[in-house]
Amino acid sequence: MTVVAMGMPAVRAGRPSLDGRPDTPYLVDRFGRTARDLRVSITEKCSLRCTYCMPEEGLPAIPADELLSADEIVRLVVLAVRELGVHEVRFTGGEPLMRRDLERIIAGCRAALPDTPLAMTSNGVGLQHRARKLAEAGLNRINVSLDTVDRDGFAKLTRRDRLDSVLSGIRAAREAGLTPIKVNAVLMRETLGGAADLLQWCIDEQAELRFIEEMPLDADHEWARANMITAEELLDVLGKRFTLTEVGRDDPAAPAEQWQVDGGPATVGIIASVTRSFCSDCDRTRLTADGRIRSCLFSDQEYDIRAALRSGASDDEIATLWRGAMWNKWAGHGIDAAGFVPPTRTMGAIGG
């Protein structure tokens, strides 16, 4: 095994075991799940330093030659869709807007995959300047991370005073047609009091808000189950201002449970990753910025697809490696287990 920089996990060499795997081209695992949603991290760099994601100084830089190139990303995305049954692709970071060739990556995927939904998760900083070009390149929609609309609270949480840029970015994305726009807010003790204000802002701006329970993926390793805000606590807070009617999930693999707000049509979603785990219905496969296949957000078992690419592997050989990686996916994150150990990579190093 080789150990990667940035405090990352050991990367498994060779091919993962395919023992017992059914003869199917799709990304099935031993627990009956099929991965159809691909998350592609394209950089470790970020313009913010959110406390639940990044260390204050940022992540150590990945050398340029260790990052997947635009052409390599396009090749892997196309292979995933055409050969492995992936239905939807989302580009993440770090912050994907930190890649100058982002539009090229999206345009390459769109040219080869005209019918595949292409989405992106962003912090929104600088989005107002690129939203139109991203839409023209072929991006369908965007999720923006925004935990509070209180300027001081935003600056404290992200360690940057960039709230105005984020809000402008969301509006520019809507004007460019990158809809539906979803806003992702991590539940934090310090922002809970402003949760209702954030929901009202999203309703006014025609954005779909989804709150996410904080997970043990922070760089400072300060997460504690006893201190996290649960879905139930959030519902109590929102219920003092809004009438919420539970809708549930349309798709079992969708992470967010939905509640109708004041009779609709607006809704608010809650992704209760910790207290209402949906691991049994997970349909995601992940590709890190440095070219590792990661079967689960919380698993430190990764396979080096970049090395295979650069050693001249065929698409069939790469597909076999990817299938094996997903076949060996574990049952779930195990946060409630007594011996739970958080993954070595932080959220910023994995990709959202």
Side-chain angles (χ1 to χ4, degrees):
M1 291 199 207
T2 14
V3 176
V4 231
M6 300 175 61
M8 294 183 184
V11 179
R12 295 184 179 271
R15 291 187 177 183
S17 171
L18 295 169
D19 291 349
R21 187 183 182 278
D23 184 16
T24 173
Y26 302 128
L27 294 174
V28 298
D29 65 34
R30 299 174 190 271
F31 301 95
R33 299 167 297 194
T34 302
R36 298 186 176 90
D37 183 338
L38 171 59
R39 302 296 170 101
V40 184
S41 174
I42 61 174
T43 182
E44 85 294 352
K45 294 180 176 62
C46 190
S47 46
L48 299 179
R49 296 291 183 270
C50 299
T51 57
Y52 54 80
C53 180
M54 288 267 186
E56 187 169 2
E57 66 278 10
L59 292 171
I62 298 176
D65 63 345
E66 293 182 13
L67 281 173
L68 290 176
S69 69
D71 290 342
E72 288 171 333
I73 292 169
V74 172
R75 179 182 171 187
L76 291 172
V77 168
V78 172
L79 183 152
V81 173
R82 290 180 177 172
E83 305 297 332
L84 302 175
V86 163
H87 291 177
E88 182 174 354
V89 179
R90 175 178 300 280
F91 299 101
T92 70
E95 170 49 51
L97 290 172
M98 300 293 283
R99 288 260 318 222
R100 294 182 179 180
D101 56 359
L102 173 60
E103 288 85 352
R104 178 184 165 195
I105 292 169
I106 292 169
C109 292
R110 174 56 66 221
L113 305 167
D115 301 320
T116 300
L118 302 178
M120 183 176 80
T121 296
S122 169
N123 64 30
V125 175
L127 179 60
Q128 73 228 57
H129 305 299
R130 296 175 72 178
R132 182 68 59 185
K133 291 181 179 179
L134 289 168
E136 291 171 354
L139 190 68
N140 295 112
R141 66 177 191 83
I142 193 165
N143 286 13
V144 178
S145 299
L146 175 63
D147 304 306
T148 178
V149 287
D150 175 77
R151 184 169 180 174
D152 291 339
F154 180 93
K156 183 178 180 181
L157 188 64
T158 67
R159 304 182 177 112
R160 299 288 189 275
D161 184 12
R162 303 302 305 276
L163 178 61
D164 291 345
S165 179
V166 176
L167 301 186
S168 296
I170 292 172
R171 292 172 178 136
R174 186 184 66 231
E175 292 169 3
L178 297 174
T179 56
I181 295 171
K182 295 182 179 181
V183 170
N184 295 337
V186 175
L187 283 170
M188 305 286 287
R189 185 69 57 187
E190 53 264 51
T191 59
L192 182 62
D197 291 336
L198 178 59
L199 176 54
Q200 187 61 61
W201 187 89
C202 288
I203 292 171
D204 293 343
E205 295 291 335
Q206 303 169 47
E208 299 178 14
L209 177 60
R210 307 188 306 172
F211 289 98
I212 305 171
E213 287 183 342
E214 185 187 7
M215 295 176 282
L217 293 165
D218 58 307
D220 298 326
H221 303 294
E222 294 181 353
W223 181 92
R225 176 68 181 263
N227 298 333
M228 62 169 282
I229 304 296
T230 66
E232 290 303 323
E233 189 172 354
L234 172 68
L235 289 170
D236 288 342
V237 169
L238 295 180
K240 294 175 182 176
R241 183 160 161 187
F242 303 97
T243 299
L244 302 178
T245 305
E246 186 169 2
V247 177
R249 289 187 178 95
D250 292 333
D251 178 358
E257 297 178 72
Q258 297 288 334
W259 276 261
Q260 196 174 61
V261 181
D262 290 341
T267 60
V268 61
I270 301 178
I271 301 176
S273 309
V274 178
T275 63
R276 303 183 187 185
S277 168
F278 44 88
C279 295
S280 61
D281 294 309
C282 179
D283 69 344
R284 294 180 184 174
T285 182
R286 297 176 182 274
L287 185 61
T288 66
D290 55 344
R292 300 353 183 179
I293 302 167
R294 192 177 179 97
S295 63
C296 171
L297 193 60
F298 285 87
S299 172
D300 274 338
Q301 178 173 286
E302 299 181 350
Y303 291 90
D304 191 345
I305 205 169
R306 187 192 71 211
L309 269 175
R310 295 182 182 178
S311 65
S314 67
D315 282 359
D316 286 344
E317 290 169 329
I318 293 170
T320 298
L321 174 63
W322 206 327
R323 292 180 186 117
M326 297 308 295
W327 176 240
N328 289 279
K329 182 175 180 174
W330 59 6
H333 55 52
I335 290 175
D336 290 328
F340 171 75
V341 178
T344 305
R345 287 196 197 241
T346 65
M347 177 61 88
I350 297 170

